Amino acid sequence: LQKQVRIREYCPKQFIERDHSGTLIPFEDYRRVFEKGKQYFMEESRVLTSLREPALLKILNVFEGCGTAYFVMEQLTGKSLEQHISQKGPLSSDQTQKILLPLLDVLEELHSLNYYHLNIHPGSILLSRRLKPFLTDFGAVKQLLASVFQELPQVLKANYAAPEQYVRETPLGAWTDIYSLASIAYYMQTGEHPPSLAKRETQSLIQIPYWTQKAMNVSPLERPQTIELWRQLIENAVPIIVSHSSDT
């Protein structure tokens, strides 16, 4: 078919090795968690295959081989949101919403199936040449493995992971993805990465719309609890002018 694709392999490097044939072999003490993670990887891949939202790259195949699991997905010609903002600068409120709203549709459908992204950051959002957004780099498997084995490092994106993701055994849900996507909205509107959680204690956010501030609340219970509730805040928002920290 001469179609460019991307192949993703389930490969938790902390507790596997490869033999001469390329087959993954988990360390004996980690065999159970390896198999659990592989099962979750395949389940998540099949769930993503079932989604039909335009802002999600299509998964073309899910299969096992070489002792592990893989999925094959479309390859997008474009750039990441992070690359776009670093080159073009912050976006207007209207431009932000044009990118944000299709991503809400993906998350809403995903959440309806009791799955969550848990790894939203500027590099996980790809933009086509016409600035159509696509959500990629799902991180629920990494979060699962880190929660099962406390000695494994948390693979979280500073400034974008929700506070509850740093506390083991804390419930995660739609509100977790909402925090991360709101942090993306902050980044798009200001051109700056959100302040770290440590700085949030003493540093207020740059002036941004209420719907962004509300969804970035450090307390999960103070955020919109569903995508639908957050969408209502966005659609009813009163436009404001964003002031950038570099202004004098």
Side-chain angles (χ1 to χ4, degrees), residues 20-211:
H20 65 280
S21 69
T23 298
L24 265 62
I25 302 175
F27 301 146
E28 188 61 36
D29 291 345
Y30 293 93
R31 186 174 298 277
R32 181 179 61 84
V33 71
F34 175 85
E35 291 298 332
K36 184 173 183 179
K38 184 175 77 170
Q39 179 184 2
Y40 197 87
F41 176 92
M42 295 192 69
E43 288 177 0
E44 181 181 78
S45 301
R46 290 182 178 124
V47 166
L48 295 177
T49 302
S50 72
L51 302 184
R52 292 292 179 263
E53 290 297 333
L56 188 68
L57 293 176
K58 292 181 180 178
I59 292 182
L60 306 174
N61 194 14
V62 182
F63 62 95
E64 293 186 72
C66 296
T68 187
Y70 303 84
F71 68 70
V72 182
M73 69 187 305
E74 292 178 310
Q75 180 70 37
L76 177 70
T77 300
K79 62 180 68 174
S80 71
L81 176 65
E82 187 166 30
Q83 291 171 320
H84 181 77
I85 297 296
S86 66
Q87 294 169 6
K88 303 293 186 179
L91 306 179
S92 68
S93 180
D94 286 344
Q95 291 172 322
T96 295
Q97 290 192 29
K98 285 181 180 179
I99 291 175
L100 188 69
L101 292 176
L103 303 178
L104 294 186
D105 294 337
V106 173
L107 290 179
E108 187 168 39
E109 187 175 0
L110 184 69
H111 295 171
S112 72
L113 300 172
N114 292 319
Y115 279 83
Y116 306 99
H117 190 290
L118 304 181
N119 192 37
I120 300 172
H121 57 89
S124 70
I125 297 170
L126 302 182
L127 300 177
S128 71
R129 290 172 178 170
R130 295 185 178 182
L131 300 186
K132 179 181 178 182
F134 294 88
L135 190 58
T136 67
D137 200 17
F138 288 71
V141 173
K142 297 176 184 177
Q143 190 87 33
L144 171 72
L145 294 177
S147 67
V148 172
F149 278 81
Q150 296 189 6
E151 63 268 29
L152 295 181
Q154 291 272 39
V155 185
L156 300 174
K157 295 295 182 180
N159 308 86
Y160 293 93
E164 61 268 23
Q165 290 182 265
Y166 292 91
V167 183
R168 297 183 189 275
E169 300 183 3
T170 299
L172 307 178
W175 52 87
T176 307
D177 282 343
I178 286 171
Y179 179 97
S180 296
L181 196 53
S183 299
I184 292 289
Y186 177 100
Y187 176 60
M188 287 194 286
Q189 294 171 97
T190 66
E192 300 180 6
H193 295 293
S196 66
L197 292 174
K199 290 182 178 179
R200 290 285 303 275
E201 296 180 359
T202 57
Q203 177 181 335
S204 60
L205 296 174
I206 296 172
Q207 186 184 10
I208 50 176
Y210 174 74
W211 60 264

